[in-house]
Amino acid sequence: MPPVRVAVLASGGGTNLQALLDACGPDSPARITRVVSNNARAGALERARRAGVSAVVLHDPDDARELLAALADAEIVVLAGYLRLVPAPVVARFARRMINIHPALLPAFGGPGMYGRRVHEAVLASGASESGATVHFVDEHYDRGPVIAQRTVPVRKGDTPETLAARILAVEHELLSQVVLDLARRLQSEGEIQ
Ligand code: GRF
């Protein structure tokens, strides 16, 4: 059975993309077949090049037609540190086939503008004793789609946004890889993702 074709959208350094590239080996049910970015300087593009994966830089991330063309061959789409809102026609085309990783326990600490350092600053300011990572289906709103999986991470005394981010990032890599492989297996065996 051929592996499920996975496209990854990334705006930044791409360590989550790298975790997926490392997890999708030759016998894996999933294969990363395309990387798409809105940022020509994204480190994720260099990771794609090193892995021999075709990459596209969008001229206009708000243009649904351009994004659909870049994702034409994909069966699953993963947002891995993608900072732009996905146009509604693209969300509709990949209903229950598009997922996002967020470095907090959604629905808390999510939504417009809640990305990167700001997320962890807000968690620390709240006095929460734990944070974590969430993988969810993407809908028309930032960080609002149905949750697929979450993993909690303790907040430690003396944490800074950087130390908390690093502890969560390691968990994101594991969680995202597990979810993508699981969704690919379900797509292979059931032909759909319920
Ligand atoms: C991760 O923390 C992810 O949860 C968030 O953006 C960051 C991306 O990091 N959406 P990287 O580019 O995968 O290293």
Side-chain angles (χ1 to χ4, degrees):
M1 182 176 287
V4 172
R5 299 183 302 279
V6 177
V8 179
L9 299 179
S11 303
T15 65
N16 275 288
L17 166 65
Q18 191 62 56
L20 291 175
L21 290 167
D22 297 344
C24 297
D27 302 326
S28 162
R31 189 156 53 85
I32 311 301
T33 53
R34 170 61 55 84
V35 171
V36 178
S37 185
N38 61 303
N39 170 10
R41 292 186 304 283
L45 295 170
E46 173 57 20
R47 295 179 188 276
R49 190 193 63 74
R50 280 205 300 266
V53 174
S54 78
V56 168
V57 178
L58 299 171
H59 294 97
D60 178 3
D62 295 330
D63 179 344
R65 282 190 314 278
E66 184 185 12
L67 186 49
L68 284 169
L71 299 174
D73 189 44
E75 296 174 279
I76 290 177
V77 179
V78 182
L79 276 60
Y82 185 67
L83 299 182
R84 300 297 294 263
L85 202 58
V86 177
V90 185
V91 174
R93 160 72 182 78
F94 289 100
R96 297 191 77 83
R97 299 283 190 88
M98 182 181 281
I99 66 175
N100 178 48
I101 176 94
H102 183 76
L105 296 174
L106 293 176
F109 306 109
M114 287 302 278
Y115 59 86
R117 191 176 204 278
R118 293 182 194 168
V119 177
H120 310 297
E121 282 173 341
V123 169
L124 293 174
S126 76
S129 61
E130 62 182 22
S131 186
T134 303
V135 180
H136 63 95
F137 285 113
V138 171
D139 66 10
E140 291 78 13
H141 308 282
Y142 281 115
D143 306 328
R144 288 264 299 270
V147 170
I148 300 169
Q150 285 188 314
R151 185 87 55 79
T152 60
V153 170
V155 175
R156 297 201 194 293
K157 194 170 173 327
D159 259 334
T160 63
E162 289 69 27
T163 59
L164 181 55
R167 190 174 311 124
I168 292 172
L169 195 56
V171 169
E172 290 177 57
H173 296 163
E174 286 174 25
L175 185 64
L176 185 60
S177 301
Q178 283 168 10
V179 168
V180 168
L181 293 175
D182 176 55
L183 291 182
R185 287 190 194 95
R186 282 157 59 185
L187 205 50
Q188 284 186 326
S189 61
E190 297 149 30
E192 59 181 3
I193 296 170
Q194 276 313 325

